[in-house]
Amino acid sequence: MKSKGLLSSLFLGVFALVSVKSQAQDTAVSKDLTVVECKNYVSSSWRNNWFLQLGAGANLPFVESSVSAQNEEAGKTPKHEPALTLNVAVGHWFSPYLAVRLSALGGDMKWENLGKSDSRYATLNADLMWDMFNSIGGVNTKRVFSIVPFVGVGGMYEWNMKSPGLNIVGSDGKLRTNTWAVPVSAGIQLRFRLCKYVDLFAEGRLQAYGDNFNNYAYGDPIDLNVSAVGGLTFNFGGKKFDTVNPCDYLSYINTLNNQVNTLRGDLAATAAALAAAEAQLPCPEVVAVECQEKVITPILASVRFNLNSAKIADKELVNVYNVAEWMKTNPDVKLVVSGYADKETGTNAYNMKLSQRRVDAVIEALVKYGVSRDRLVGNAQGDLQQPYTKDNYKWNRIVLFDAQ
């Protein structure tokens, strides 16, 4: 049969597509000449991105018995008749590009072998799925349309066979009316996004079996079954992937370096003024100096937060500790703890509450490190103010400090 060539071509096509480079990558050079690869690193918790698939459609078997010598002698014309197939599957996207699922299909099966033949069948397949559009066009959980090729292997049980052309005898000496098989399969799923939690899908699958697929052995050693199903995919909790690009922080680091250089210049000017004053000692008279109004001095420290989170990450605790140590060496200073939220995500009311939770978390950490609570002033800004530019809104998931 030509079926073997068709199946081989389909497998080779899917694996050739997997070899396509998924994303273009750039590089940047930091100030210490370390090469930084500017690409998005995507991660996801195993608890996220599970899905359930429910569908229905039809299957169409292609078996050698349809063109056997017995059919020709009997004057039987091969016919292919579709039959009902039901589908249920559960799976997990462990990255935006690859998923695994267990897919069950079952229902009626009809073919012709010296007359009309039919049976019932059920098959369970373990499939590896590949989101081609996420790999080629970049990760986008809101993409309306996607093409998802897949390959799989499974087990099939067929029973209640009714066919005048059965020719495989069981151990009891009778013609077998049931069979087991281990099919391999490949196919393509077309996925249409309806909302965050629900997708519409249409899927075609080609399964290859051994020659005992219909308890009739003749000709080539491979039988085929083509199925087409459509239905709904339910995404539990929606699709959630965290994306980090190391180059996002280069401009932030450069800004901090510029602030440090400015303070160094101010310190040098102050040292020069002090030296000039000391050169005039002893002073001939005491000149009263009018006290200037106390101003708020920014502290070069910050605590950054993940999206929709008020939990201080372990890597940010060092900043909280350094602020606490600075407060201990300046016992007369009070500290304003200002919290912010990214206005690109969430409502104004929710962001105000989120920034307050971030402020509270940082204050509690400072108290834990030995700072008196009465020296700390909380200032939740929500998304009313955005310390950082429109191109870096996600930097505004942050807590900043001002000394009084």
Side-chain angles (χ1 to χ4, degrees), residues 33-186:
L33 299 182
T34 300
V35 176
V36 178
E37 193 173 16
C38 295
K39 72 175 184 178
N40 289 331
Y41 293 88
V42 183
S43 62
S44 171
S45 169
W46 67 270
R47 297 182 180 87
N48 298 331
N49 304 308
W50 289 87
F51 63 89
L52 174 67
Q53 175 181 308
L54 300 175
N59 73 85
L60 192 65
F62 291 85
V63 294
E64 293 88 348
S65 58
S66 299
V67 294
S68 67
Q70 291 90 333
N71 277 328
E72 294 174 356
E73 292 173 1
K76 299 292 183 180
T77 301
K79 295 180 180 180
H80 301 288
E81 184 177 353
L84 175 66
T85 292
L86 301 178
N87 170 232
V88 60
V90 61
H92 178 231
W93 287 96
F94 54 88
S95 80
Y97 318 110
L98 296 174
V100 292
R101 72 172 177 182
L102 287 177
S103 180
L105 297 100
D108 298 325
M109 188 172 292
K110 298 181 180 181
W111 69 96
E112 187 166 309
N113 184 17
L114 297 176
K116 290 188 176 181
S117 306
D118 62 79
S119 67
R120 296 289 180 88
Y121 85 102
T123 178
L124 181 64
N125 302 283
D127 296 329
L128 176 64
M129 308 177 71
W130 175 50
D131 191 314
M132 184 170 64
F133 282 17
N134 271 352
S135 297
I136 298 175
V139 178
N140 181 3
T141 57
K142 296 182 180 179
R143 183 174 281 115
V144 175
F145 173 69
S146 297
I147 297 178
V148 183
F150 60 87
V151 293
V153 64
M156 185 274 289
Y157 180 63
E158 192 176 2
W159 72 96
N160 198 26
M161 289 187 183
K162 299 175 182 177
S163 173
L166 301 178
N167 70 352
I168 296 180
V169 179
S171 58
D172 57 359
K174 298 179 180 179
L175 291 174
R176 290 175 56 180
T177 58
N178 56 43
T179 187
W180 288 92
V182 179
V184 294
S185 60

Side-chain angles (χ1 to χ4, degrees), residues 178-199:
N178 56 43
T179 187
W180 288 92
V182 179
V184 294
S185 60
I188 291 180
Q189 181 183 96
L190 305 180
R191 188 175 63 207
F192 303 86
R193 184 178 187 269
L194 300 181
C195 67
K196 179 180 180 181
Y197 303 100
V198 182
D199 296 331

Side-chain angles (χ1 to χ4, degrees), residues 332-392:
D332 296 329
V333 175
K334 287 190 175 182
L335 193 66
V336 178
V337 182
S338 299
Y340 302 89
D342 175 9
K343 74 176 184 180
E344 292 294 295
T345 56
T347 63
N348 293 340
Y350 182 83
N351 284 339
M352 181 60 72
K353 294 179 181 179
L354 177 60
S355 66
Q356 183 63 58
R357 297 205 312 270
R358 289 170 174 170
V359 168
D360 294 341
V362 172
I363 289 178
E364 291 301 322
L366 288 170
V367 172
K368 178 181 176 181
Y369 286 134
V371 179
S372 175
R373 192 182 298 273
D374 58 10
R375 297 177 61 196
L376 304 172
V377 180
N379 179 29
Q381 291 291 322
D383 58 17
L384 299 179
Q385 293 187 21
Q386 299 286 273
Y388 298 102
T389 64
K390 64 181 181 179
D391 295 327
N392 300 294

